[in-house]
Amino acid sequence: MYNFILLLLVSSTMAVLSSCYDHHMPSDNIWPPYEGDLANHSKEEVVTNPLAELIAFVEKSELAWQMTKKNISDTYSYSVNFTSGLAPPAKTIISVTKGRVTERMYSRDNWPQKDWVEAEKQIGSHKRGASPVTIDKLYWECLNTVLTRDPRSASFTVSTFSDGTLQYCTSWPCGAVDDASDGVSISSIKYDGFTDERASSKSDKSYDGCPH
């Protein structure tokens, strides 16, 4: 009898744990990502993620980049331009060789003259300029930081260069006026046999979550 009661208690506990686990499993297809039991929310509250189309667009671009990266031995350079009404324009060029950042150049308001150049062992020693990261890290930032923000809090834009590589993945907070865009912004990309430095992209998607 004792063994029977023990078995019954174990079975009941496992059933409860399984139910809780199922309700707390995250899903890419629902939004908002509720922490509590989804059963406590109405069907109207549990809706398709408004940014799902943008996420799929970036994921497809990332797959194309993996193929490109393999073909070029993960060696390339890209630039990031900084413009603001509150400071002089600036430009950072980041060079990557076989998957490692090997050089970072920075110029403020006097390109092509350079303010400074960091060699491999010096990279990151200056505070100014775009972060010395690979394009892979920019994809990560896009998918895990920018596109995980509350869709109701901003307008979002993603775009690619003509080869399919990520160009922009930004959010603009609702109600903001100037210098509020945040995220990934690549001004140009260059690798063996390819250069693209368009000011804008024809291949893009956007979502505006701001009330009007």
Side-chain angles (χ1 to χ4, degrees):
M1 173 66 83
Y2 175 80
N3 290 338
F4 173 78
I5 293 174
L6 180 61
L7 179 62
L8 184 62
L9 288 173
V10 170
S11 299
S12 299
T13 302
M14 293 298 293
V16 171
L17 289 174
S18 177
S19 175
C20 292
Y21 176 77
D22 288 342
H23 284 299
H24 286 80
M25 280 293 288
S27 172
D28 293 333
N29 298 320
I30 59 172
W31 183 88
Y34 292 111
E35 295 294 336
D37 193 331
L38 294 178
N40 294 329
H41 299 276
S42 67
K43 291 182 179 180
E44 289 74 19
E45 289 179 303
V46 183
V47 297
T48 300
N49 186 344
L51 300 178
E53 187 176 4
L54 278 68
I55 292 170
F57 179 86
V58 175
E59 288 176 338
K60 182 179 179 180
S61 169
E62 186 175 25
L63 287 175
W65 168 246
Q66 294 303 318
M67 292 297 296
T68 298
K69 191 174 70 167
K70 182 178 180 180
N71 293 334
I72 62 174
S73 301
D74 207 358
T75 299
Y76 56 91
S77 65
Y78 70 91
S79 68
V80 177
N81 292 346
F82 172 79
T83 57
S84 170
L86 304 175
K91 182 175 186 176
T92 307
I93 296 181
I94 296 168
S95 298
V96 177
T97 304
K98 295 184 178 180
R100 295 179 58 189
V101 177
T102 52
E103 186 177 79
R104 185 171 68 143
M105 296 186 294
Y106 177 82
S107 175
R108 185 175 58 180
D109 200 28
N110 58 353
W111 187 260
Q113 182 179 342
K114 305 172 185 63
D115 286 13
W116 48 258
V117 179
E118 294 173 340
E120 190 169 2
K121 293 182 179 180
Q122 301 171 317
I123 289 171
S125 58
H126 292 84
K127 292 183 178 180
R128 295 185 183 273
S131 298
V133 298
T134 63
I135 287 181
D136 295 78
K137 292 290 182 65
L138 297 180
Y139 272 106
W140 189 95
E141 179 184 349
C142 173
L143 290 169
N144 294 279
T145 301
V146 179
L147 296 182
T148 59
R149 292 172 181 152
D150 187 342
R152 300 165 298 186
S153 68
S155 59
F156 299 80
T157 299
V158 296
S159 66
T160 60
F161 289 103
S162 59
D163 69 335
T165 304
L166 185 66
Q167 181 181 22
Y168 297 123
C169 178
T170 60
S171 65
W172 189 283
C174 299
V177 181
D178 296 320
D179 299 336
S181 181
D182 184 43
V184 175
S185 180
I186 304 175
S187 304
S188 67
I189 182 172
K190 182 178 182 180
Y191 53 80
D192 188 23
F194 180 81
T195 300
D196 197 337
E197 49 186 342
R198 294 171 296 168
S200 61
S201 172
K202 293 182 179 179
S203 179
D204 61 19
K205 291 188 179 296
S206 61
Y207 175 79
D208 187 356
C210 301
H212 296 284

